[in-house]
Amino acid sequence: YLRIKSKETIGFPTLKFNAVQQHIHAVAEDQLKRLGYIRLIIGKSRQVGSSSYWQARTIHQTAFQPNRNAILVAHDEPSSIEIFGITKGYYDALPLELRPRTRYDAKQRMIFEGRHSKIVALHAANANIGAGQMFHFAHLTEAARFPDPDRLQGALFPALSAAKGQDYSTVIIESTSVFGGDWFKDLGDQAIAGDSEFEFLFIPWYE
């Protein structure tokens, strides 16, 4: 029932995973089976569908599951609003009988009534990101462009759930490459070396 804007079709066709999304899904499900949660650093090219895939999982985890908080963090406010628009598009296209009621629905926040679940979209320059909250699903996109990533890490990472098993947590940090993106590169290097809880996934442009 999820619908999204398409490069091939005008309007909102049903979301069908492309080859990259199928690959991401297989990797994520394999890691979930092995580790009990999802922790991925993703190096990717532009417009491959990664963010659309993770926002689909976001709406599934929050709109249809109780007690789940999700956060989307983009490098700037316009990008966070744009990507959050994908999530809202998924929600708005749901049939009425499947669409959960929202207690609060704004351009950067959705709270699902009766489920104690919510989605918030913020940008990386927000100094208080994650303060006083707990997030079970975190999607950080274009992380190589974050203006002050060390500060963000110090504020947000303590607020990320470590839940495993049936009520698993998810943390995704993805980005295209950009000059000066040392924080993201360091996270990727640590994941490749096995020095963190994350695993590294590289998606070349030709996929």
Side-chain angles (χ1 to χ4, degrees), residues 4-41:
I4 190 171
K5 289 182 181 178
S6 170
K7 292 181 180 179
E8 291 79 23
T9 305
I10 296 176
F12 285 86
T14 301
L15 174 66
K16 295 182 179 179
F17 288 169
N18 61 27
V20 169
Q21 291 166 331
Q22 291 176 29
H23 180 53
I24 293 172
H25 182 71
V27 169
E29 290 299 307
D30 174 71
Q31 189 186 55
L32 177 59
K33 184 177 180 179
R34 289 184 291 105
L35 303 181
Y37 62 4
I38 298 174
R39 295 291 188 276
L40 287 174
I41 307 292

PDB file of all heavy atoms in Angstrom, residues 4-41:
ATOM      1  N   ILE A   4       4.850   6.171  -3.737  1.00  0.00           N
ATOM      2  CA  ILE A   4       5.957   7.119  -3.763  1.00  0.00           C
ATOM      3  C   ILE A   4       6.089   7.719  -5.156  1.00  0.00           C
ATOM      4  O   ILE A   4       5.705   7.091  -6.158  1.00  0.00           O
ATOM      5  CB  ILE A   4       7.274   6.405  -3.352  1.00  0.00           C
ATOM      6  CG1 ILE A   4       8.402   7.417  -3.134  1.00  0.00           C
ATOM      7  CG2 ILE A   4       7.661   5.350  -4.384  1.00  0.00           C
ATOM      8  CD1 ILE A   4       9.633   6.796  -2.517  1.00  0.00           C
ATOM      9  N   LYS A   5       6.623   8.918  -5.231  1.00  0.00           N
ATOM     10  CA  LYS A   5       6.908   9.518  -6.534  1.00  0.00           C
ATOM     11  C   LYS A   5       7.937   8.661  -7.268  1.00  0.00           C
ATOM     12  O   LYS A   5       8.858   8.121  -6.673  1.00  0.00           O
ATOM     13  CB  LYS A   5       7.458  10.932  -6.358  1.00  0.00           C
ATOM     14  CG  LYS A   5       6.436  11.946  -5.875  1.00  0.00           C
ATOM     15  CD  LYS A   5       7.054  13.324  -5.774  1.00  0.00           C
ATOM     16  CE  LYS A   5       6.051  14.350  -5.269  1.00  0.00           C
ATOM     17  NZ  LYS A   5       6.661  15.689  -5.128  1.00  0.00           N
ATOM     18  N   SER A   6       7.767   8.586  -8.585  1.00  0.00           N
ATOM     19  CA  SER A   6       8.619   7.722  -9.388  1.00  0.00           C
ATOM     20  C   SER A   6       9.289   8.511 -10.503  1.00  0.00           C
ATOM     21  O   SER A   6       8.714   9.474 -11.032  1.00  0.00           O
ATOM     22  CB  SER A   6       7.793   6.582  -9.988  1.00  0.00           C
ATOM     23  OG  SER A   6       8.526   5.869 -10.954  1.00  0.00           O
ATOM     24  N   LYS A   7      10.489   8.097 -10.867  1.00  0.00           N
ATOM     25  CA  LYS A   7      11.171   8.719 -12.006  1.00  0.00           C
ATOM     26  C   LYS A   7      10.529   8.313 -13.324  1.00  0.00           C
ATOM     27  O   LYS A   7      10.597   9.039 -14.308  1.00  0.00           O
ATOM     28  CB  LYS A   7      12.648   8.307 -12.023  1.00  0.00           C
ATOM     29  CG  LYS A   7      13.479   8.849 -10.885  1.00  0.00           C
ATOM     30  CD  LYS A   7      14.923   8.389 -11.016  1.00  0.00           C
ATOM     31  CE  LYS A   7      15.785   8.918  -9.891  1.00  0.00           C
ATOM     32  NZ  LYS A   7      17.197   8.447 -10.006  1.00  0.00           N
ATOM     33  N   GLU A   8       9.904   7.135 -13.340  1.00  0.00           N
ATOM     34  CA  GLU A   8       9.354   6.593 -14.577  1.00  0.00           C
ATOM     35  C   GLU A   8       7.885   6.934 -14.791  1.00  0.00           C
ATOM     36  O   GLU A   8       7.404   6.914 -15.926  1.00  0.00           O
ATOM     37  CB  GLU A   8       9.508   5.063 -14.604  1.00  0.00           C
ATOM     38  CG  GLU A   8      10.944   4.583 -14.737  1.00  0.00           C
ATOM     39  CD  GLU A   8      11.702   4.644 -13.430  1.00  0.00           C
ATOM     40  OE1 GLU A   8      11.041   4.622 -12.366  1.00  0.00           O
ATOM     41  OE2 GLU A   8      12.943   4.726 -13.466  1.00  0.00           O
ATOM     42  N   THR A   9       7.159   7.239 -13.692  1.00  0.00           N
ATOM     43  CA  THR A   9       5.719   7.428 -13.791  1.00  0.00           C
ATOM     44  C   THR A   9       5.285   8.694 -13.077  1.00  0.00           C
ATOM     45  O   THR A   9       5.712   8.939 -11.950  1.00  0.00           O
ATOM     46  CB  THR A   9       4.981   6.223 -13.160  1.00  0.00           C
ATOM     47  OG1 THR A   9       5.438   5.022 -13.770  1.00  0.00           O
ATOM     48  CG2 THR A   9       3.488   6.354 -13.333  1.00  0.00           C
ATOM     49  N   ILE A  10       4.439   9.492 -13.698  1.00  0.00           N
ATOM     50  CA  ILE A  10       3.873  10.660 -13.047  1.00  0.00           C
ATOM     51  C   ILE A  10       2.783  10.205 -12.087  1.00  0.00           C
ATOM     52  O   ILE A  10       1.934   9.386 -12.436  1.00  0.00           O
ATOM     53  CB  ILE A  10       3.313  11.652 -14.080  1.00  0.00           C
ATOM     54  CG1 ILE A  10       4.446  12.197 -14.958  1.00  0.00           C
ATOM     55  CG2 ILE A  10       2.582  12.808 -13.384  1.00  0.00           C
ATOM     56  CD1 ILE A  10       3.972  13.115 -16.062  1.00  0.00           C
ATOM     57  N   GLY A  11       2.787  10.754 -10.892  1.00  0.00           N
ATOM     58  CA  GLY A  11       1.812  10.356  -9.894  1.00  0.00           C
ATOM     59  C   GLY A  11       2.479   9.608  -8.755  1.00  0.00           C
ATOM     60  O   GLY A  11       3.667   9.796  -8.484  1.00  0.00           O
ATOM     61  N   PHE A  12       1.712   8.753  -8.065  1.00  0.00           N
ATOM     62  CA  PHE A  12       2.209   8.019  -6.909  1.00  0.00           C
ATOM     63  C   PHE A  12       1.972   6.518  -7.083  1.00  0.00           C
ATOM     64  O   PHE A  12       1.036   5.962  -6.524  1.00  0.00           O
ATOM     65  CB  PHE A  12       1.534   8.516  -5.629  1.00  0.00           C
ATOM     66  CG  PHE A  12       2.038   9.852  -5.156  1.00  0.00           C
ATOM     67  CD1 PHE A  12       1.496  11.021  -5.661  1.00  0.00           C
ATOM     68  CD2 PHE A  12       3.054   9.929  -4.222  1.00  0.00           C
ATOM     69  CE1 PHE A  12       1.961  12.254  -5.234  1.00  0.00           C
ATOM     70  CE2 PHE A  12       3.530  11.151  -3.788  1.00  0.00           C
ATOM     71  CZ  PHE A  12       2.989  12.323  -4.296  1.00  0.00           C
ATOM     72  N   PRO A  13       2.826   5.850  -7.874  1.00  0.00           N
ATOM     73  CA  PRO A  13       2.662   4.409  -8.026  1.00  0.00           C
ATOM     74  C   PRO A  13       3.042   3.669  -6.740  1.00  0.00           C
ATOM     75  O   PRO A  13       3.722   4.210  -5.868  1.00  0.00           O
ATOM     76  CB  PRO A  13       3.638   4.068  -9.159  1.00  0.00           C
ATOM     77  CG  PRO A  13       4.696   5.122  -9.063  1.00  0.00           C
ATOM     78  CD  PRO A  13       3.974   6.369  -8.624  1.00  0.00           C
ATOM     79  N   THR A  14       2.605   2.437  -6.626  1.00  0.00           N
ATOM     80  CA  THR A  14       2.955   1.603  -5.474  1.00  0.00           C
ATOM     81  C   THR A  14       4.457   1.375  -5.430  1.00  0.00           C
ATOM     82  O   THR A  14       5.091   1.130  -6.459  1.00  0.00           O
ATOM     83  CB  THR A  14       2.222   0.257  -5.560  1.00  0.00           C
ATOM     84  OG1 THR A  14       0.817   0.501  -5.578  1.00  0.00           O
ATOM     85  CG2 THR A  14       2.568  -0.616  -4.367  1.00  0.00           C
ATOM     86  N   LEU A  15       5.022   1.473  -4.238  1.00  0.00           N
ATOM     87  CA  LEU A  15       6.453   1.251  -4.071  1.00  0.00           C
ATOM     88  C   LEU A  15       6.804  -0.194  -4.405  1.00  0.00           C
ATOM     89  O   LEU A  15       6.255  -1.130  -3.828  1.00  0.00           O
ATOM     90  CB  LEU A  15       6.874   1.556  -2.627  1.00  0.00           C
ATOM     91  CG  LEU A  15       8.326   1.231  -2.259  1.00  0.00           C
ATOM     92  CD1 LEU A  15       9.296   2.131  -3.022  1.00  0.00           C
ATOM     93  CD2 LEU A  15       8.539   1.371  -0.750  1.00  0.00           C
ATOM     94  N   LYS A  16       7.708  -0.364  -5.342  1.00  0.00           N
ATOM     95  CA  LYS A  16       8.262  -1.671  -5.667  1.00  0.00           C
ATOM     96  C   LYS A  16       9.779  -1.560  -5.588  1.00  0.00           C
ATOM     97  O   LYS A  16      10.374  -0.696  -6.237  1.00  0.00           O
ATOM     98  CB  LYS A  16       7.831  -2.113  -7.069  1.00  0.00           C
ATOM     99  CG  LYS A  16       6.334  -2.347  -7.203  1.00  0.00           C
ATOM    100  CD  LYS A  16       5.967  -2.821  -8.608  1.00  0.00           C
ATOM    101  CE  LYS A  16       4.473  -3.070  -8.721  1.00  0.00           C
ATOM    102  NZ  LYS A  16       4.081  -3.518 -10.098  1.00  0.00           N
ATOM    103  N   PHE A  17      10.386  -2.415  -4.783  1.00  0.00           N
ATOM    104  CA  PHE A  17      11.818  -2.306  -4.558  1.00  0.00           C
ATOM    105  C   PHE A  17      12.592  -2.469  -5.874  1.00  0.00           C
ATOM    106  O   PHE A  17      12.359  -3.420  -6.631  1.00  0.00           O
ATOM    107  CB  PHE A  17      12.294  -3.377  -3.584  1.00  0.00           C
ATOM    108  CG  PHE A  17      11.863  -3.148  -2.156  1.00  0.00           C
ATOM    109  CD1 PHE A  17      12.027  -4.145  -1.206  1.00  0.00           C
ATOM    110  CD2 PHE A  17      11.329  -1.948  -1.760  1.00  0.00           C
ATOM    111  CE1 PHE A  17      11.656  -3.955   0.100  1.00  0.00           C
ATOM    112  CE2 PHE A  17      10.941  -1.726  -0.449  1.00  0.00           C
ATOM    113  CZ  PHE A  17      11.104  -2.744   0.481  1.00  0.00           C
ATOM    114  N   ASN A  18      13.515  -1.530  -6.102  1.00  0.00           N
ATOM    115  CA  ASN A  18      14.440  -1.697  -7.215  1.00  0.00           C
ATOM    116  C   ASN A  18      15.579  -2.620  -6.781  1.00  0.00           C
ATOM    117  O   ASN A  18      15.583  -3.149  -5.660  1.00  0.00           O
ATOM    118  CB  ASN A  18      14.961  -0.334  -7.700  1.00  0.00           C
ATOM    119  CG  ASN A  18      15.736   0.424  -6.621  1.00  0.00           C
ATOM    120  OD1 ASN A  18      16.332  -0.170  -5.718  1.00  0.00           O
ATOM    121  ND2 ASN A  18      15.737   1.751  -6.706  1.00  0.00           N
ATOM    122  N   ALA A  19      16.563  -2.829  -7.642  1.00  0.00           N
ATOM    123  CA  ALA A  19      17.633  -3.779  -7.343  1.00  0.00           C
ATOM    124  C   ALA A  19      18.424  -3.361  -6.108  1.00  0.00           C
ATOM    125  O   ALA A  19      18.802  -4.205  -5.284  1.00  0.00           O
ATOM    126  CB  ALA A  19      18.558  -3.911  -8.555  1.00  0.00           C
ATOM    127  N   VAL A  20      18.694  -2.062  -5.972  1.00  0.00           N
ATOM    128  CA  VAL A  20      19.447  -1.575  -4.809  1.00  0.00           C
ATOM    129  C   VAL A  20      18.646  -1.780  -3.534  1.00  0.00           C
ATOM    130  O   VAL A  20      19.168  -2.246  -2.514  1.00  0.00           O
ATOM    131  CB  VAL A  20      19.806  -0.089  -4.990  1.00  0.00           C
ATOM    132  CG1 VAL A  20      20.343   0.499  -3.681  1.00  0.00           C
ATOM    133  CG2 VAL A  20      20.841   0.079  -6.098  1.00  0.00           C
ATOM    134  N   GLN A  21      17.372  -1.438  -3.552  1.00  0.00           N
ATOM    135  CA  GLN A  21      16.529  -1.607  -2.362  1.00  0.00           C
ATOM    136  C   GLN A  21      16.399  -3.081  -1.982  1.00  0.00           C
ATOM    137  O   GLN A  21      16.389  -3.416  -0.798  1.00  0.00           O
ATOM    138  CB  GLN A  21      15.165  -0.982  -2.619  1.00  0.00           C
ATOM    139  CG  GLN A  21      15.213   0.541  -2.711  1.00  0.00           C
ATOM    140  CD  GLN A  21      13.947   1.143  -3.288  1.00  0.00           C
ATOM    141  OE1 GLN A  21      13.259   0.510  -4.100  1.00  0.00           O
ATOM    142  NE2 GLN A  21      13.627   2.370  -2.892  1.00  0.00           N
ATOM    143  N   GLN A  22      16.318  -3.956  -2.966  1.00  0.00           N
ATOM    144  CA  GLN A  22      16.272  -5.385  -2.673  1.00  0.00           C
ATOM    145  C   GLN A  22      17.566  -5.839  -1.989  1.00  0.00           C
ATOM    146  O   GLN A  22      17.536  -6.643  -1.056  1.00  0.00           O
ATOM    147  CB  GLN A  22      16.046  -6.180  -3.966  1.00  0.00           C
ATOM    148  CG  GLN A  22      14.677  -5.995  -4.572  1.00  0.00           C
ATOM    149  CD  GLN A  22      14.534  -6.724  -5.897  1.00  0.00           C
ATOM    150  OE1 GLN A  22      15.176  -7.746  -6.135  1.00  0.00           O
ATOM    151  NE2 GLN A  22      13.709  -6.193  -6.781  1.00  0.00           N
ATOM    152  N   HIS A  23      18.684  -5.299  -2.463  1.00  0.00           N
ATOM    153  CA  HIS A  23      19.974  -5.645  -1.863  1.00  0.00           C
ATOM    154  C   HIS A  23      20.069  -5.124  -0.435  1.00  0.00           C
ATOM    155  O   HIS A  23      20.493  -5.853   0.481  1.00  0.00           O
ATOM    156  CB  HIS A  23      21.105  -5.072  -2.718  1.00  0.00           C
ATOM    157  CG  HIS A  23      22.478  -5.376  -2.193  1.00  0.00           C
ATOM    158  ND1 HIS A  23      22.903  -6.654  -1.904  1.00  0.00           N
ATOM    159  CD2 HIS A  23      23.522  -4.551  -1.895  1.00  0.00           C
ATOM    160  CE1 HIS A  23      24.145  -6.622  -1.463  1.00  0.00           C
ATOM    161  NE2 HIS A  23      24.540  -5.355  -1.440  1.00  0.00           N
ATOM    162  N   ILE A  24      19.666  -3.873  -0.224  1.00  0.00           N
ATOM    163  CA  ILE A  24      19.682  -3.300   1.125  1.00  0.00           C
ATOM    164  C   ILE A  24      18.796  -4.125   2.051  1.00  0.00           C
ATOM    165  O   ILE A  24      19.175  -4.427   3.192  1.00  0.00           O
ATOM    166  CB  ILE A  24      19.214  -1.833   1.094  1.00  0.00           C
ATOM    167  CG1 ILE A  24      20.214  -0.960   0.344  1.00  0.00           C
ATOM    168  CG2 ILE A  24      19.019  -1.303   2.517  1.00  0.00           C
ATOM    169  CD1 ILE A  24      19.727   0.459   0.120  1.00  0.00           C
ATOM    170  N   HIS A  25      17.621  -4.487   1.565  1.00  0.00           N
ATOM    171  CA  HIS A  25      16.693  -5.267   2.384  1.00  0.00           C
ATOM    172  C   HIS A  25      17.306  -6.608   2.781  1.00  0.00           C
ATOM    173  O   HIS A  25      17.200  -7.026   3.940  1.00  0.00           O
ATOM    174  CB  HIS A  25      15.388  -5.486   1.612  1.00  0.00           C
ATOM    175  CG  HIS A  25      14.348  -6.232   2.380  1.00  0.00           C
ATOM    176  ND1 HIS A  25      13.668  -5.681   3.439  1.00  0.00           N
ATOM    177  CD2 HIS A  25      13.896  -7.521   2.265  1.00  0.00           C
ATOM    178  CE1 HIS A  25      12.821  -6.563   3.934  1.00  0.00           C
ATOM    179  NE2 HIS A  25      12.945  -7.690   3.250  1.00  0.00           N
ATOM    180  N   ALA A  26      17.945  -7.267   1.832  1.00  0.00           N
ATOM    181  CA  ALA A  26      18.562  -8.565   2.123  1.00  0.00           C
ATOM    182  C   ALA A  26      19.665  -8.422   3.160  1.00  0.00           C
ATOM    183  O   ALA A  26      19.780  -9.240   4.086  1.00  0.00           O
ATOM    184  CB  ALA A  26      19.106  -9.180   0.838  1.00  0.00           C
ATOM    185  N   VAL A  27      20.496  -7.387   3.026  1.00  0.00           N
ATOM    186  CA  VAL A  27      21.592  -7.156   3.981  1.00  0.00           C
ATOM    187  C   VAL A  27      21.028  -6.849   5.367  1.00  0.00           C
ATOM    188  O   VAL A  27      21.504  -7.370   6.378  1.00  0.00           O
ATOM    189  CB  VAL A  27      22.498  -6.011   3.483  1.00  0.00           C
ATOM    190  CG1 VAL A  27      23.478  -5.583   4.574  1.00  0.00           C
ATOM    191  CG2 VAL A  27      23.260  -6.431   2.230  1.00  0.00           C
ATOM    192  N   ALA A  28      20.005  -5.985   5.422  1.00  0.00           N
ATOM    193  CA  ALA A  28      19.419  -5.604   6.708  1.00  0.00           C
ATOM    194  C   ALA A  28      18.782  -6.801   7.403  1.00  0.00           C
ATOM    195  O   ALA A  28      18.969  -7.007   8.614  1.00  0.00           O
ATOM    196  CB  ALA A  28      18.385  -4.499   6.503  1.00  0.00           C
ATOM    197  N   GLU A  29      18.044  -7.598   6.659  1.00  0.00           N
ATOM    198  CA  GLU A  29      17.385  -8.755   7.256  1.00  0.00           C
ATOM    199  C   GLU A  29      18.397  -9.808   7.701  1.00  0.00           C
ATOM    200  O   GLU A  29      18.203 -10.480   8.728  1.00  0.00           O
ATOM    201  CB  GLU A  29      16.388  -9.355   6.264  1.00  0.00           C
ATOM    202  CG  GLU A  29      15.165  -8.486   6.016  1.00  0.00           C
ATOM    203  CD  GLU A  29      14.366  -8.253   7.285  1.00  0.00           C
ATOM    204  OE1 GLU A  29      14.011  -9.234   7.964  1.00  0.00           O
ATOM    205  OE2 GLU A  29      14.106  -7.070   7.617  1.00  0.00           O
ATOM    206  N   ASP A  30      19.480  -9.950   6.950  1.00  0.00           N
ATOM    207  CA  ASP A  30      20.536 -10.883   7.364  1.00  0.00           C
ATOM    208  C   ASP A  30      21.180 -10.426   8.661  1.00  0.00           C
ATOM    209  O   ASP A  30      21.417 -11.235   9.574  1.00  0.00           O
ATOM    210  CB  ASP A  30      21.591 -10.986   6.259  1.00  0.00           C
ATOM    211  CG  ASP A  30      22.796 -11.823   6.692  1.00  0.00           C
ATOM    212  OD1 ASP A  30      22.648 -13.049   6.820  1.00  0.00           O
ATOM    213  OD2 ASP A  30      23.867 -11.231   6.921  1.00  0.00           O
ATOM    214  N   GLN A  31      21.484  -9.124   8.767  1.00  0.00           N
ATOM    215  CA  GLN A  31      22.089  -8.612   9.997  1.00  0.00           C
ATOM    216  C   GLN A  31      21.132  -8.740  11.172  1.00  0.00           C
ATOM    217  O   GLN A  31      21.536  -9.103  12.282  1.00  0.00           O
ATOM    218  CB  GLN A  31      22.502  -7.152   9.818  1.00  0.00           C
ATOM    219  CG  GLN A  31      23.328  -6.629  10.996  1.00  0.00           C
ATOM    220  CD  GLN A  31      23.611  -5.150  10.903  1.00  0.00           C
ATOM    221  OE1 GLN A  31      22.690  -4.356  10.787  1.00  0.00           O
ATOM    222  NE2 GLN A  31      24.878  -4.784  10.965  1.00  0.00           N
ATOM    223  N   LEU A  32      19.854  -8.462  10.931  1.00  0.00           N
ATOM    224  CA  LEU A  32      18.852  -8.595  11.989  1.00  0.00           C
ATOM    225  C   LEU A  32      18.798 -10.037  12.499  1.00  0.00           C
ATOM    226  O   LEU A  32      18.709 -10.270  13.710  1.00  0.00           O
ATOM    227  CB  LEU A  32      17.485  -8.168  11.460  1.00  0.00           C
ATOM    228  CG  LEU A  32      16.297  -8.296  12.405  1.00  0.00           C
ATOM    229  CD1 LEU A  32      16.506  -7.463  13.667  1.00  0.00           C
ATOM    230  CD2 LEU A  32      15.007  -7.868  11.695  1.00  0.00           C
ATOM    231  N   LYS A  33      18.875 -10.977  11.599  1.00  0.00           N
ATOM    232  CA  LYS A  33      18.836 -12.382  11.983  1.00  0.00           C
ATOM    233  C   LYS A  33      20.074 -12.775  12.778  1.00  0.00           C
ATOM    234  O   LYS A  33      20.000 -13.521  13.757  1.00  0.00           O
ATOM    235  CB  LYS A  33      18.720 -13.257  10.735  1.00  0.00           C
ATOM    236  CG  LYS A  33      18.577 -14.741  11.019  1.00  0.00           C
ATOM    237  CD  LYS A  33      18.389 -15.531   9.732  1.00  0.00           C
ATOM    238  CE  LYS A  33      18.249 -17.021  10.019  1.00  0.00           C
ATOM    239  NZ  LYS A  33      18.041 -17.789   8.751  1.00  0.00           N
ATOM    240  N   ARG A  34      21.231 -12.248  12.369  1.00  0.00           N
ATOM    241  CA  ARG A  34      22.491 -12.611  13.037  1.00  0.00           C
ATOM    242  C   ARG A  34      22.690 -11.906  14.367  1.00  0.00           C
ATOM    243  O   ARG A  34      23.154 -12.510  15.346  1.00  0.00           O
ATOM    244  CB  ARG A  34      23.688 -12.292  12.121  1.00  0.00           C
ATOM    245  CG  ARG A  34      23.830 -13.200  10.927  1.00  0.00           C
ATOM    246  CD  ARG A  34      25.091 -12.883  10.139  1.00  0.00           C
ATOM    247  NE  ARG A  34      25.026 -11.603   9.450  1.00  0.00           N
ATOM    248  CZ  ARG A  34      25.660 -10.504   9.826  1.00  0.00           C
ATOM    249  NH1 ARG A  34      26.439 -10.500  10.911  1.00  0.00           N
ATOM    250  NH2 ARG A  34      25.548  -9.375   9.119  1.00  0.00           N
ATOM    251  N   LEU A  35      22.366 -10.598  14.411  1.00  0.00           N
ATOM    252  CA  LEU A  35      22.715  -9.770  15.564  1.00  0.00           C
ATOM    253  C   LEU A  35      21.527  -9.391  16.440  1.00  0.00           C
ATOM    254  O   LEU A  35      21.720  -8.952  17.574  1.00  0.00           O
ATOM    255  CB  LEU A  35      23.421  -8.495  15.091  1.00  0.00           C
ATOM    256  CG  LEU A  35      24.679  -8.676  14.237  1.00  0.00           C
ATOM    257  CD1 LEU A  35      25.276  -7.325  13.881  1.00  0.00           C
ATOM    258  CD2 LEU A  35      25.703  -9.547  14.946  1.00  0.00           C
ATOM    259  N   GLY A  36      20.340  -9.504  15.900  1.00  0.00           N
ATOM    260  CA  GLY A  36      19.158  -9.146  16.682  1.00  0.00           C
ATOM    261  C   GLY A  36      18.752  -7.702  16.563  1.00  0.00           C
ATOM    262  O   GLY A  36      17.721  -7.296  17.108  1.00  0.00           O
ATOM    263  N   TYR A  37      19.541  -6.891  15.859  1.00  0.00           N
ATOM    264  CA  TYR A  37      19.175  -5.515  15.549  1.00  0.00           C
ATOM    265  C   TYR A  37      19.891  -5.097  14.281  1.00  0.00           C
ATOM    266  O   TYR A  37      20.654  -5.873  13.692  1.00  0.00           O
ATOM    267  CB  TYR A  37      19.440  -4.558  16.707  1.00  0.00           C
ATOM    268  CG  TYR A  37      20.863  -4.395  17.184  1.00  0.00           C
ATOM    269  CD1 TYR A  37      21.948  -5.000  16.570  1.00  0.00           C
ATOM    270  CD2 TYR A  37      21.138  -3.580  18.284  1.00  0.00           C
ATOM    271  CE1 TYR A  37      23.245  -4.812  17.020  1.00  0.00           C
ATOM    272  CE2 TYR A  37      22.430  -3.383  18.754  1.00  0.00           C
ATOM    273  CZ  TYR A  37      23.475  -4.008  18.110  1.00  0.00           C
ATOM    274  OH  TYR A  37      24.756  -3.825  18.558  1.00  0.00           O
ATOM    275  N   ILE A  38      19.643  -3.869  13.816  1.00  0.00           N
ATOM    276  CA  ILE A  38      20.231  -3.384  12.572  1.00  0.00           C
ATOM    277  C   ILE A  38      21.122  -2.188  12.870  1.00  0.00           C
ATOM    278  O   ILE A  38      20.684  -1.205  13.463  1.00  0.00           O
ATOM    279  CB  ILE A  38      19.142  -2.998  11.555  1.00  0.00           C
ATOM    280  CG1 ILE A  38      18.287  -4.225  11.196  1.00  0.00           C
ATOM    281  CG2 ILE A  38      19.770  -2.414  10.286  1.00  0.00           C
ATOM    282  CD1 ILE A  38      17.100  -3.903  10.304  1.00  0.00           C
ATOM    283  N   ARG A  39      22.380  -2.299  12.440  1.00  0.00           N
ATOM    284  CA  ARG A  39      23.356  -1.219  12.575  1.00  0.00           C
ATOM    285  C   ARG A  39      24.185  -1.174  11.292  1.00  0.00           C
ATOM    286  O   ARG A  39      25.060  -2.009  11.078  1.00  0.00           O
ATOM    287  CB  ARG A  39      24.283  -1.444  13.780  1.00  0.00           C
ATOM    288  CG  ARG A  39      23.600  -1.412  15.138  1.00  0.00           C
ATOM    289  CD  ARG A  39      23.116  -0.024  15.480  1.00  0.00           C
ATOM    290  NE  ARG A  39      22.631   0.081  16.849  1.00  0.00           N
ATOM    291  CZ  ARG A  39      21.411  -0.233  17.248  1.00  0.00           C
ATOM    292  NH1 ARG A  39      20.541  -0.720  16.375  1.00  0.00           N
ATOM    293  NH2 ARG A  39      21.038  -0.087  18.509  1.00  0.00           N
ATOM    294  N   LEU A  40      23.911  -0.193  10.425  1.00  0.00           N
ATOM    295  CA  LEU A  40      24.585  -0.134   9.135  1.00  0.00           C
ATOM    296  C   LEU A  40      25.135   1.254   8.849  1.00  0.00           C
ATOM    297  O   LEU A  40      24.471   2.264   9.089  1.00  0.00           O
ATOM    298  CB  LEU A  40      23.624  -0.519   8.005  1.00  0.00           C
ATOM    299  CG  LEU A  40      23.236  -2.003   7.875  1.00  0.00           C
ATOM    300  CD1 LEU A  40      22.164  -2.163   6.811  1.00  0.00           C
ATOM    301  CD2 LEU A  40      24.454  -2.856   7.555  1.00  0.00           C
ATOM    302  N   ILE A  41      26.351   1.278   8.317  1.00  0.00           N
ATOM    303  CA  ILE A  41      26.933   2.462   7.700  1.00  0.00           C
ATOM    304  C   ILE A  41      26.872   2.212   6.195  1.00  0.00           C
ATOM    305  O   ILE A  41      27.418   1.214   5.712  1.00  0.00           O
ATOM    306  CB  ILE A  41      28.400   2.685   8.128  1.00  0.00           C
ATOM    307  CG1 ILE A  41      28.537   2.693   9.655  1.00  0.00           C
ATOM    308  CG2 ILE A  41      28.949   3.960   7.499  1.00  0.00           C
ATOM    309  CD1 ILE A  41      27.903   3.870  10.334  1.00  0.00           C
TER     310      ILE A  41
END
